Amino acid sequence: MNLVNSCRPYLDLLPDAVISHATAARLHGLVLPRRLAEEHVLHLSRGFGKGQSRRRNVVGHRLELSPEEKSIISGLAVTGIARTWLDVAGLLSLEEVIVMGDQIVSEHHRNFGPPRLPLVPLQELRAFIEAKHRVAHVRKCRSALERLRVGVDSPPETVLRLMLSNDPQMPEFVPNVAICDDSGEPHVWAAPIRGGHFRRTSCLLGLQKVAALPSACTRRVVVGAGRSRFTA
């Protein structure tokens, strides 16, 4: 049984409830650490004054949500992406909040391939969080907002970026930077290297072009990588 079908009977019994927290994140396709992505419980929220669901395999929450903070997925009422990020922050470390935030605001318009549009633009996400007061976990989200970067393509890229930022001798890793040729045209796009090889994607225009760049333009940093802690 998929997640949508698992949730539907509970909303049929509690039509005023909304799927929230980690379950909403999974339905939105947001990256989560494996401990939450593979959990066997459903998170449901109801307004204050309503009884919390105490059914087996259900975690009940109380949230007061505006209509703008809700969305519909396959006919199910779900917290919207920005609200989900705020609520699930209480279940995540700061690094994990940043990883999900980078995914939400990821956007780029490169000279190849289709453009990538954000799930929520950074300024819209910032305005949503800044408008919240006396809401659980809003301080963690505000801290994370200062460390989000538009253009990150994957959780390992965010983890690498954050790791490099902890080294005072390293400049900030800026995602999706175009290295231009003498005419000013993008020649190759900077991206992380995994396992000693560039990712197999058209975003990199071939190792030959990298080799053709002046040596002062290239530096290889090898970082040990293990199994990703995140999944969507």
Side-chain angles (χ1 to χ4, degrees):
M1 181 179 294
N2 64 31
L3 184 58
V4 168
N5 290 337
S6 296
C7 293
R8 198 177 304 279
Y10 293 96
L11 292 189
D12 289 342
L13 290 171
L14 299 170
D16 63 307
V18 175
I19 299 165
S20 63
H21 294 75
T23 311
R26 292 167 63 191
L27 287 172
H28 283 297
L30 300 178
V31 291
L32 286 166
R34 293 183 183 276
R35 68 178 186 278
L36 296 179
E38 298 173 358
E39 68 179 358
H40 299 290
V41 298
L42 302 178
H43 294 265
L44 296 179
S45 291
R46 305 179 76 190
F48 290 98
K50 304 282 187 177
Q52 281 187 311
S53 177
R54 301 186 183 279
R55 297 179 182 276
R56 184 179 180 185
N57 297 327
V58 171
V59 179
H61 306 270
R62 288 193 175 92
L63 295 176
E64 288 296 340
L65 302 170
S66 67
E68 293 75 21
E69 293 176 303
K70 303 176 185 178
S71 63
I72 301 295
I73 297 177
S74 299
L76 303 178
V78 183
T79 52
I81 290 175
R83 180 71 205 209
T84 299
W85 187 59
L86 171 60
D87 294 331
V88 82
L91 305 175
L92 302 175
S93 68
L94 179 59
E95 180 187 81
E96 292 164 348
V97 175
I98 296 170
V99 167
M100 183 183 288
D102 270 0
Q103 179 198 15
I104 290 170
V105 304
S106 181
E107 176 181 12
H108 46 65
H109 302 270
R110 299 181 286 216
N111 63 339
F112 59 90
R116 178 167 181 168
L117 302 178
L119 300 174
V120 179
L122 178 58
Q123 290 304 112
E124 185 178 323
L125 184 64
R126 186 184 302 278
F128 175 83
I129 295 299
E130 292 300 329
K132 295 298 178 184
H133 303 283
R134 299 187 180 90
V135 177
H137 322 305
V138 70
R139 289 186 179 180
K140 184 184 287 187
C141 287
R142 286 175 180 165
S143 296
L145 275 169
E146 300 307 313
R147 302 181 69 182
L148 299 189
R149 296 295 181 269
V150 173
V152 176
D153 283 323
S154 67
E157 190 171 336
T158 298
V159 173
L160 173 62
R161 179 175 67 79
L162 295 175
M163 183 170 60
L164 294 177
S165 71
N166 291 329
D167 186 340
Q169 296 183 336
M170 293 291 291
E172 179 177 355
F173 174 80
V174 181
N176 282 299
V177 174
I179 301 174
C180 298
D181 58 22
D182 292 339
S183 68
E185 290 298 315
H187 194 64
V188 70
W189 293 79
I193 296 174
R194 299 179 190 171
H197 299 278
F198 285 106
R199 288 173 293 171
R200 290 181 175 271
T201 171
S202 59
C203 74
L204 293 165
L205 307 183
L207 290 174
Q208 294 84 358
K209 288 194 173 184
V210 176
L213 292 171
S215 60
C217 295
T218 61
R219 177 178 296 178
R220 180 175 178 184
V221 179
V222 179
V223 180
R227 181 170 180 252
S228 175
R229 309 193 314 270
F230 299 93
T231 186

